[in-house]
Every structure is written in C-alpha cells, then in structure tokens.
Amino acid sequence: MVQNELKLVLFDLDGVILNSEPLHDHAKRRILMDSNVNEDLDLSWTVGKPSRLLWSKMKEMYGLVPSEDELEQLQYNYILEEMKEKNIQPSEGLIELLQWLKENKILIGLVSSSWGSFVHSVLDYYNIKHYFGYVIAGDDVERKKPFPDGYLKALELFSVSATNAIAIEDSKSGSEAAIAAQLKCIGYQNPTSGNQDLSKCYKVIDKLIQIKQIASEF
C-alpha cells in the first residue's frame, strides 16, 4: 500500500457541510436581544470556536441568567428552526462529493465543536448520516477546536494515519486543530464564514467538489 494514499476525508460541520455561520450569528443575536442586550456586537471572533466561549463572556459582561449550556442549547434550537423555516440546503457540491468518496472507497468522518445532538440533527435533516463512518462532536472530547483532540480521536477510531487523511475546514480555529493533528488541511473559503486566515492550510478551495481533484492527486 502506498504510504501517502488517501484513505480518509474528515469534514467540519459548520461552514462546510452547510453555510451555517450566518445561522449561528442570527441565533446568537436573537438570544442577546431576548436578554435585552441590544448593542451591535462584533461576533466574528466566535466563528469556528466553541459557542460556550461566547456565552461565558456574555454572562460575565451582561449578567445573563441562563447557564452556558442552556444558552448554547437555545442557540442550536434556533438554528434548526431557521434551517427548516428557510429550507436551508447543504453546501453546493457536498452530496456529489460524498457519493464520489463512497464510490472510491475513501472513508468519511466528521469532526465538529458543536454538540452531538445538534450535529446529528443536521445530518438527519439532510439524510446524510449514513455516509459518515464516525462522527466526533464537541462533547465527545475533552478539548474542542483549536485543540486537535477531535481529529486525533477520529484518526484513532478509523485506524488511519494522519499521512493518509485530509481535513476540510472553513475557519482559522478549525484549520489549527487539523494541522495540530498533523493532518493536511484543505481550507474551504466559504464567504459566509467571514474573513478567515487559512494561510497555513495545505491547499485552499472555494468549491467542495475540488476535493475530488485533490484526492486524485494525493
């Protein structure tokens, strides 16, 4: 077996499986408005990072009553509600790519910082869970991105070396996690994810279907 043969592709969820970063932003602002926080806050720093960081800071700054867990759960509930109301579709080219990877016997996994209940709800909504051999959510590991714990756990579960895998990430925090796990990280320039520094990625793409070419050349 060739050492650098591609055996595994690991997807991020938010900003990769679907353009959910605007949904996260809407949900966060809705919760803040419900809590009478009406300032026009810059939340761009939260992209790709655990939502708990935001809610911990907001509780400290504005004295929000619910716990961080309750606020994060409410955020996920609002996102799923908007997804269904607006019939939000998965990222362009995703289904075609998943089918191609499956046909070419390349393993598929998912590593997200979001809660497992939310991750699995999204996969169920799009009816794509069957493509993924393992799904690692934020509550499956001790440390979320930018730490590499999720990716290291995925490699262990799949029994695949980092040299035989790639990760697809749309954020600086996510790419740092993948690179820290010694993975080649493909930066997905999703305009809805804001201005993310993907300069340390192995390659940068603007369409998911470009992964087919990268896999063919691996």
Side-chain angles (χ1 to χ4, degrees), residues 10-13 17 108-112 119 123 132 134-137:
L10 296 169
F11 288 78
D12 175 39
L13 181 80
I17 296 294
I108 306 169
L110 189 148
V111 178
S112 174
V119 173
L123 298 182
F132 298 90
Y134 290 102
V135 173
I136 313 300

Side-chain angles (χ1 to χ4, degrees), residues 92-112:
E92 182 181 355
L94 174 71
I95 305 301
E96 181 183 347
L97 175 59
L98 291 173
Q99 187 61 38
W100 184 86
L101 292 171
K102 182 179 179 180
E103 289 171 354
N104 285 272
K105 296 180 170 51
I106 297 173
L107 299 169
I108 306 169
L110 189 148
V111 178
S112 174

Side-chain angles (χ1 to χ4, degrees), residues 64-147:
L64 304 189
V65 175
S67 68
E68 287 94 339
D69 284 349
E70 289 171 330
L71 290 163
E72 189 166 357
Q73 183 62 65
L74 187 57
Q75 176 183 328
Y76 294 139
N77 292 345
Y78 283 164
I79 293 169
L80 292 168
E81 179 182 306
E82 186 174 358
M83 282 177 61
K84 294 170 183 176
E85 285 180 353
K86 296 184 177 179
N87 192 27
I88 303 294
Q89 297 299 303
S91 295
E92 182 181 355
L94 174 71
I95 305 301
E96 181 183 347
L97 175 59
L98 291 173
Q99 187 61 38
W100 184 86
L101 292 171
K102 182 179 179 180
E103 289 171 354
N104 285 272
K105 296 180 170 51
I106 297 173
L107 299 169
I108 306 169
L110 189 148
V111 178
S112 174
S113 285
S114 293
W115 282 7
S117 58
F118 173 71
V119 173
H120 288 283
S121 292
V122 171
L123 298 182
D124 286 336
Y125 180 68
Y126 290 135
N127 193 27
I128 57 174
K129 188 183 289 186
H130 60 283
Y131 286 107
F132 298 90
Y134 290 102
V135 173
I136 313 300
D139 41 350
D140 292 323
V141 292
E142 183 176 346
R143 301 179 301 174
K144 300 181 182 183
K145 302 171 187 178
F147 295 100

Side-chain angles (χ1 to χ4, degrees), residues 27-57:
K28 291 168 185 174
R29 295 185 187 281
R30 180 175 172 183
I31 294 168
L32 289 170
M33 287 185 65
D34 289 346
S35 303
N36 296 314
V37 179
N38 298 311
E39 295 181 39
D40 186 18
L41 299 172
D42 178 10
L43 303 180
S44 62
W45 64 272
T46 66
V47 175
K49 295 182 179 178
S51 295
R52 190 181 189 88
L53 294 178
L54 168 68
W55 297 124
S56 178
K57 184 174 182 178

